[in-house]
Amino acid sequence: MKIFLIISTLIATILSYKWTPENDDKVFNVFQQFIKAYNRKYIVGELDARHTKFRENWAELSDKLANKRSKYFHGVTQFFDMTPQEFARKQLTLQITPEEEIKASQAKDNFDHGRNLQTLPAEVDFEALGKVTPIKNQGSCGSCWAFATMGILESQYLILNRTATATSINFSEQYQMNCDYNNYSCQGGSVYSALWWLRYNGGTVQNEDAFSYLIKNQVCSKSSTRFPITVNNFYVVSQSEYSMKYALYMYGPIASALNAGLLQTYKGGIIDFENYAPGTDCPNTTADVNHAVIIVGYGTENGVDYWKVKNSWGPTWGEKGYFRIARGKNMCGIQWFNYYVNVSLK
């Protein structure tokens, strides 16, 4: 609770004034609060450089807050002492493979849009249904691909095993990072490649108790402790938000991807813009996609259709670890790469 109070104070302070050379002492005091809130421990000589980055982000955020075109909330996050380039290098490491891009562009639907979409409910939330595990934190490791992969498998287990609870299971991202030779552990990877590896290497996953998350690369080793779930197959959703909506409702949470640059300062609300301009607001080509996430629901608020998305940056980030993003606009490229799985329980 204390960290939320400190962060709320930081946001209120930004709203009250912009950075100028005259008020740099005030900004430095807020920077010290940031260090305390996020338990930052800098090496010798690093403090001044981090303060400079914090100050630059402060000035940019002040401009964003004054820009009424964006319709969501910006603020101080755990990434506020990083440059956008450093943030991307450490957190946005999804690697779309050439094969994946071809498969996604060629994916076809097996249902009729007009007929099937008329029967879908106006709102779906698998988290509220208890079919989504608690928010995790990938830390300073480019392992979003592993968290998105394990996350949709955890949801499938909860959907099939009605006696299981969201807090009773925890699949190991670390094991996938250690042993999946298609991907690069903390240096990035692809959900498509991870699902392919699971499908064609026995389809089994390991328990977190056997392979705890260490936020670093490790040598692959085996364990007799395996979770009783097998990946039979996985499917690429066609590049349409109509298809995403249907797949989500019919098959459960889906792994997705987007350009996540603006999430560096996201605090809440639906990511949307007045007169959305992809080139300046949030890039949305296939080449711009750089972060893997899990779509767990959809709905409408104040006339704005949105996706509810599970992230892997901890429960104090965003909306208790989630974010919402406008639906039907290919916002930030979210319609390009989406997957669901078919699993069975042993």
Side-chain angles (χ1 to χ4, degrees), residues 34-148:
F34 167 87
I35 292 173
K36 182 178 180 181
Y38 290 107
N39 194 30
R40 282 290 192 268
K41 298 185 185 301
Y42 300 127
I43 62 175
V44 176
E46 187 182 10
L47 182 67
D48 287 345
R50 292 296 174 184
H51 173 224
T52 297
K53 293 174 184 177
F54 187 92
R55 184 177 61 198
E56 291 171 350
N57 285 336
W58 182 287
E60 183 177 344
L61 182 57
S62 297
D63 292 337
K64 286 182 178 178
L65 292 171
N67 178 7
K68 303 303 182 182
R69 287 185 60 253
S70 62
K71 300 180 180 181
Y72 62 100
F73 302 111
H74 306 271
V76 175
T77 70
Q78 65 261 46
F79 311 113
F80 210 71
D81 59 347
M82 300 180 184
T83 64
Q85 294 75 22
E86 181 185 8
F87 171 68
R89 187 173 66 252
K90 290 183 176 181
Q91 303 298 138
L92 311 181
T93 59
L94 183 68
Q95 299 178 18
I96 302 298
T97 67
E99 179 184 357
E100 179 177 8
E101 190 152 5
I102 292 171
K103 293 288 187 181
S105 67
Q106 295 176 345
K108 304 294 183 182
D109 291 330
N110 59 359
F111 62 93
D112 180 86
H113 279 177
R115 183 182 63 187
N116 291 90
L117 290 176
Q118 289 177 0
T119 65
L120 297 183
E123 181 177 333
V124 167
D125 187 342
F126 280 96
E127 185 209 8
L129 294 172
K131 305 304 179 183
V132 179
T133 53
I135 294 293
K136 300 181 183 182
N137 194 341
Q138 68 186 73
S140 55
C141 169
S143 52
C144 62
W145 60 274
F147 281 83

Side-chain angles (χ1 to χ4, degrees), residues 270-331:
I270 301 171
I271 296 173
D272 195 12
F273 297 87
E274 183 179 345
N275 300 319
Y276 174 46
T280 55
D281 294 329
C282 184
N284 72 346
T285 72
T286 56
D288 295 315
V289 169
N290 55 18
H291 185 53
V293 292
I294 304 169
I295 299 178
V296 303
Y298 63 81
T300 303
E301 181 177 274
N302 298 325
V304 179
D305 295 335
Y306 66 84
W307 299 111
K308 179 178 177 179
V309 188
K310 182 184 183 183
N311 205 353
S312 52
W313 294 344
T316 63
W317 177 88
E319 297 183 327
K320 297 182 179 180
Y322 292 83
F323 67 95
R324 289 175 295 159
I325 187 168
R327 174 166 51 92
K329 300 180 179 181
N330 191 24
M331 186 68 66

Side-chain angles (χ1 to χ4, degrees), residues 206-243:
Q206 297 281 0
N207 199 336
E208 178 73 12
D209 292 340
F211 292 90
S212 298
Y213 187 58
L214 300 175
I215 322 181
K216 61 181 180 180
N217 304 341
Q218 293 283 290
V219 175
C220 179
S221 61
K222 304 296 181 179
S223 169
S224 60
T225 307
R226 295 190 175 188
F227 220 87
I229 185 173
T230 299
V231 178
N232 299 320
N233 211 341
F234 69 96
Y235 303 91
V236 183
V237 182
S238 70
Q239 295 177 325
S240 156
E241 290 188 74
Y242 295 106
S243 302

